Amino acid sequence: MEINTVLFKALSENELVSITKKIFGESAVLKKYELLKGGLFNTTYRIVTETSDVILRVGPVHRELLQKYEENLMEAEALVDRLCLENGIPASKVVFIDCSKTIVDRDFMAVERIESKPLSDPSIEREEYPPVFKECGAILKKMHGIKGEKFGRAADIVANKGSDTWYGALKFELDCLFEKAAAFNVFTDEIIKKSYEFLKENEKYLADIKEPKLIHADLWRGNVLVKGEKGSYRVVAIIDGDRAIFGDTDWDIVTGWMMTESFKEGYGLRKDYFDNERKMHRKEVYILVQSLLEMYIRLVQYPEPENFEYALSKVKEILKF
């Protein structure tokens, strides 16, 4: 099924030339450019000059549709990439970032191009996944060892909006989401009321989380770059950490987009991991918040009625409608 998005917009050649000169200097010559597939939020290009070969990511248009934390995603990604590289985690190396909106009316960043392809590439057969998933599990475990100073989205941290508690960060997430969604009639008053009540009821369980740890929050095959050939693929970068969160690392475990047996083995995840009442309460909170976010995304940003209804059903299940 084709996904509609109003956030993606290709650039003109003149705009690409202007961005190239901003990144590399007035004497830089844009030799070649290629619009890359898969973009729904950012618009992504490969741009080549006489001396450089980089991936350019340009922020979305229609910024009035963005959630508040999505307004600072370029800075967030730069922070996450730096932390990953400093801790021996394969990630993108940022070359340039511009959030001034003076060259084009959008944020943009350039990262060094890594010879690779995403694990979601259709040329990679499913039987190649297990060893790569195992490697991803080990990488995520290492990422989860990175500590932050505040709780909250990396995008909020760089904007000095972090929270001192995990409960506070999640409440702030809901505050911003419901405020933005009000203009689009995404949520009923009853859902909003019950969501806050459910979060408050579980505050005592969220209080167990004392240290903010780095959560990728968007780890799926498309955000894993691999290199090699049949039987020998290896991970060369974990990318798109712009939606990262500092909080409870179970947030990533609950998402489960790559949570195969191979991934669990690499991470060191026991089968009885969630056989714990307090963990189970927190798990329900994370499913609720993630489902509420999905409702907004699938109604406003990437209209998908079926996925909106699925997210709504998860919300109703948890809130016991």
Side-chain angles (χ1 to χ4, degrees):
M1 179 175 62
E2 185 177 346
I3 301 174
N4 296 317
T5 174
V6 296
L7 302 181
F8 169 95
K9 184 181 180 182
L11 298 176
S12 69
E13 185 169 329
N14 285 340
E15 288 174 323
L16 286 166
V17 168
S18 297
I19 288 174
T20 300
K21 291 183 179 297
K22 178 66 176 180
I23 297 171
F24 299 109
E26 285 298 319
S27 62
V29 177
L30 178 61
K31 303 290 288 185
K32 183 175 71 172
Y33 64 88
E34 176 188 3
L35 178 63
L36 302 181
K37 297 178 181 179
L40 292 175
F41 189 86
N42 292 308
T43 305
T44 306
Y45 286 88
R46 177 185 178 185
I47 58 175
V48 180
T49 70
E50 293 176 322
T51 58
S52 302
D53 187 351
V54 301
I55 300 300
L56 172 70
R57 301 181 67 199
V58 185
V61 294
H62 291 294
R63 290 194 300 275
E64 73 277 5
L65 304 181
L66 302 186
Q67 296 179 51
K68 287 193 175 180
Y69 77 87
E70 291 178 326
E71 297 171 1
N72 300 308
L73 291 187
M74 296 290 178
E75 298 100 321
E77 182 164 357
L79 169 64
V80 172
D81 285 342
R82 176 177 62 79
L83 289 174
C84 285
L85 291 172
E86 288 174 355
N87 286 273
I89 297 167
S92 298
K93 183 176 181 181
V94 177
V95 173
F96 191 89
I97 181 170
D98 188 309
C99 299
S100 68
K101 301 179 180 63
T102 56
I103 306 301
V104 292
D105 189 27
R106 300 157 73 176
D107 298 338
F108 64 88
M109 69 186 300
V111 300
E112 289 184 358
R113 179 176 173 269
I114 302 170
E115 185 64 40
S116 61
K117 55 186 172 183
L119 187 57
S120 59
D121 191 295
S123 68
I124 302 177
E125 298 176 359
R126 296 184 68 86
E127 54 262 33
E128 301 292 328
Y129 291 171
V132 180
F133 274 41
K134 182 178 179 180
E135 187 179 3
C136 287
I139 290 171
L140 186 64
K141 181 69 173 181
K142 195 170 186 178
M143 186 180 294
H144 285 172
I146 299 174
K147 298 178 183 179
E149 295 182 359
K150 293 280 188 176
F151 290 93
R153 294 275 179 181
D156 291 328
I157 302 298
V158 297
N160 296 314
K161 296 178 183 176
S163 174
D164 291 328
T165 66
W166 183 219
Y167 167 81
L170 292 177
K171 184 177 183 300
F172 181 71
E173 181 102 358
L174 290 188
D175 289 344
C176 294
L177 172 62
F178 291 146
E179 180 182 346
K180 172 61 70 171
F184 305 98
N185 297 315
V186 180
F187 306 107
T188 65
D189 290 342
E190 187 176 15
I191 284 178
I192 294 172
K193 178 176 179 291
K194 286 195 171 187
S195 295
Y196 278 126
E197 289 173 350
F198 188 80
L199 185 66
K200 187 64 178 177
E201 289 167 5
N202 287 280
E203 181 177 7
K204 57 182 176 292
Y205 304 113
L206 298 170
D208 293 343
I209 309 305
K210 305 296 185 183
E211 290 184 319
K213 303 288 188 67
L214 182 58
I215 307 163
H216 186 280
D218 193 21
L219 188 60
W220 68 289
R221 289 181 294 115
N223 286 338
V224 177
L225 299 185
V226 297
K227 188 175 182 179
E229 54 189 29
K230 189 171 183 178
S232 65
Y233 287 106
R234 59 185 177 83
V235 178
V236 292
I238 300 294
I239 63 171
D240 288 7
D242 48 3
R243 297 174 187 280
I245 308 170
F246 287 92
D248 181 5
T249 55
D250 280 357
W251 181 281
D252 271 334
I253 307 302
V254 167
T255 303
W257 288 324
M258 296 184 67
M259 208 54 56
T260 64
E261 291 305 314
S262 298
F263 188 96
K264 292 176 183 177
E265 182 183 353
Y267 190 92
L269 203 63
R270 303 185 314 273
K271 290 184 178 180
D272 62 349
Y273 185 76
F274 280 110
D275 290 350
N276 175 294
E277 181 185 1
R278 301 185 77 83
K279 274 185 175 291
M280 284 300 298
H281 280 286
R282 291 193 294 272
K283 179 179 179 179
E284 283 201 317
V285 171
Y286 306 157
I287 293 173
L288 172 65
V289 176
Q290 291 172 15
S291 298
L292 290 168
L293 292 168
E294 277 294 298
M295 286 177 63
Y296 180 86
I297 292 168
R298 303 307 173 183
L299 185 69
V300 178
Q301 295 180 338
Y302 318 140
E304 287 185 293
E306 290 181 8
N307 285 335
F308 172 83
E309 290 297 332
Y310 178 75
L312 175 59
S313 70
K314 298 295 289 185
V315 168
K316 288 183 173 180
E317 179 183 346
I318 290 173
L319 297 181
K320 296 181 171 54
F321 269 69

